[in-house]
Amino acid sequence: MWILSAPSGSASMSVVTLALTVLTSSQAILIVWSKRAGKYEYSVTTANFMVETLKCALSLAALTRIWRSEGVTEDNRLNTTLDEVIVFPIPAALYLVKNLLQYYIFAYVDAPGYQILKNLNIISTGVLYRIILKKKLSEIQWAAFILLCAGCTTAQLKSNSDHVLQTPFQGWVMAIVMALLSGFAGVYTEAIIKKRPTRNINVQNFWLYIFGMIFNAAAILVQDFDAVMNKGFFHGYSFITVLMILNHALSGIAVSMVMKYADNIVKVYSTSVAMLLTALVSVFLFGFDLSLAFFLGSTVVSVAVYLHSAGKLQR
């Protein structure tokens, strides 16, 4: 339950960020493993619904523990106003579309291509962070953004292939849409949860996930109603599917912690480092070849992370 508690210092925040990195690095692997014969035998809409339900349940469990130890206060009570709760449907709807695209994009791109296109999120987040939150990024931080994109891309290039970036048009469109949705939803959510800094993060998460459940339930009715009625809600689920749902739920909570007590930029760098960690794990699982490009790319990413930290301290 530590991940559901407010971090009390920089060390705790570092633990949360590390957890996010580890969880994110295993997401793509679990999604691929959840396929059977190249297809999802389960309904991805029901999987997303279960992710939101689990996150909501975990947030409520954390609140129950807080109520027992500290009592119900103005900052941790679930009762709210329309003005406070009306802002949550926007990011919930954006995350719905983004999370669904996360499954379907693999029909158009392979793993290296997906990792490369995913880096578009880095730039979109930086630009939207400046526009929405009105926070100026230093020149060093902008340089770090560029270096991070170059490093992550270089790390995933294959020297013996000329077709790594030649993905279908649909793949590019989906990747760009995912980057914009992820960037806007992330920055917008950060603005919401930081608007009331004393408000308990689990209360804010609870309402966000409630709307996530509502929208995902609507997606089930629209997209998979017949399949769910004929085959059952949990048809096609496996142990890997359950692990994937648990991973997504804990990742979502970790992201909210980072947004509340750090910022969305930290989340972007965490997920980018996770991409490199995924490649390292793939060495043992899939025989991934650690090329010179990977070594150089990981070095550039390390420099970019350092420059981002240095630029943040100088602001």
Side-chain angles (χ1 to χ4, degrees):
M1 294 294 289
W2 63 269
I3 200 172
L4 300 175
S5 303
S8 57
S10 59
S12 298
M13 193 65 252
S14 298
V15 172
V16 174
T17 305
L18 177 61
L20 175 61
T21 302
V22 174
L23 289 167
T24 304
S25 65
S26 58
Q27 275 186 7
I29 294 175
L30 289 173
I31 290 177
V32 173
W33 272 2
S34 69
K35 287 184 174 183
R36 294 178 182 175
K39 296 182 179 179
Y40 302 110
E41 292 193 0
Y42 60 90
S43 167
V44 296
T45 55
T46 63
N48 277 339
F49 178 83
M50 291 306 302
V51 169
E52 297 301 315
T53 302
L54 181 56
K55 288 191 294 186
C56 190
L58 290 173
S59 297
L60 189 58
L63 280 173
T64 301
R65 199 180 92 174
I66 293 173
W67 292 335
R68 289 176 179 174
S69 61
E70 302 176 7
V72 179
T73 66
E74 183 70 20
D75 290 328
N76 66 27
R77 62 184 177 87
L78 279 181
N79 293 340
T80 185
T81 63
L82 180 62
D83 289 339
E84 180 182 10
V85 78
I86 198 65
V87 296
F88 288 110
I90 297 176
L94 294 175
Y95 280 127
L96 166 67
V97 180
K98 179 260 180 183
N99 290 336
L100 289 177
L101 288 177
Q102 183 176 240
Y103 292 94
Y104 297 128
I105 193 172
F106 284 104
Y108 301 103
V109 299
D110 55 14
Y114 170 75
Q115 296 287 23
I116 291 173
L117 296 175
K118 191 176 179 182
N119 292 320
L120 294 171
N121 180 42
I122 300 171
I123 297 299
S124 67
T125 299
V127 174
L128 292 169
Y129 193 77
R130 174 68 179 91
I131 296 174
I132 297 178
L133 295 184
K134 308 296 183 182
K135 292 186 178 180
K136 184 178 180 180
L137 299 176
S138 67
E139 293 182 357
I140 293 179
Q141 286 180 303
W142 281 114
F145 269 119
I146 297 174
L147 280 177
L148 184 59
C149 287
C152 289
T153 301
T154 301
Q156 292 297 327
L157 290 176
K158 293 183 178 179
S159 58
N160 60 346
S161 175
D162 297 327
H163 307 287
V164 174
L165 292 177
Q166 294 182 9
T167 58
F169 177 74
Q170 298 95 321
W172 280 99
V173 171
M174 292 178 70
I176 293 173
V177 172
M178 282 182 63
L180 292 174
L181 289 174
S182 180
F184 184 78
V187 176
Y188 187 84
T189 302
E190 180 182 341
I192 292 174
I193 63 180
K194 285 186 174 179
K195 187 175 182 180
R196 286 188 61 181
T198 60
R199 191 67 154 138
N200 188 281
I201 182 62
N202 294 295
V203 175
Q204 295 171 314
N205 281 344
F206 175 83
W207 288 111
L208 174 62
Y209 302 149
I210 283 291
F211 284 106
M213 291 172 61
I214 294 173
F215 289 139
N216 278 280
I220 293 174
L221 293 176
V222 172
Q223 182 172 324
D224 295 316
F225 179 77
D226 291 338
V228 170
M229 292 300 295
N230 295 330
K231 299 179 180 180
F233 190 91
F234 297 106
H235 174 76
Y237 276 49
S238 64
F239 178 70
I240 297 299
T241 309
V242 175
L243 284 181
M244 181 194 69
I245 291 173
L246 179 61
N247 175 285
H248 278 69
L250 293 178
S251 296
I253 292 175
V255 165
S256 68
M257 292 291 182
V258 170
M259 290 181 181
K260 179 77 171 182
Y261 302 104
D263 57 44
N264 200 58
I265 302 297
V266 174
K267 185 203 78 171
V268 170
Y269 280 87
S270 176
T271 53
S272 297
V273 174
M275 185 194 73
L276 302 178
L277 184 58
T278 301
L280 287 174
V281 174
S282 298
V283 172
F284 302 98
L285 295 180
F286 310 116
F288 179 77
D289 182 24
L290 283 178
S291 63
L292 176 61
F294 176 84
F295 174 77
L296 293 176
S298 59
T299 302
V300 173
V301 167
S302 299
V303 173
V305 173
Y306 171 78
L307 287 177
H308 169 260
S309 301
K312 188 174 182 180
L313 292 175
Q314 293 180 10
R315 281 192 298 170

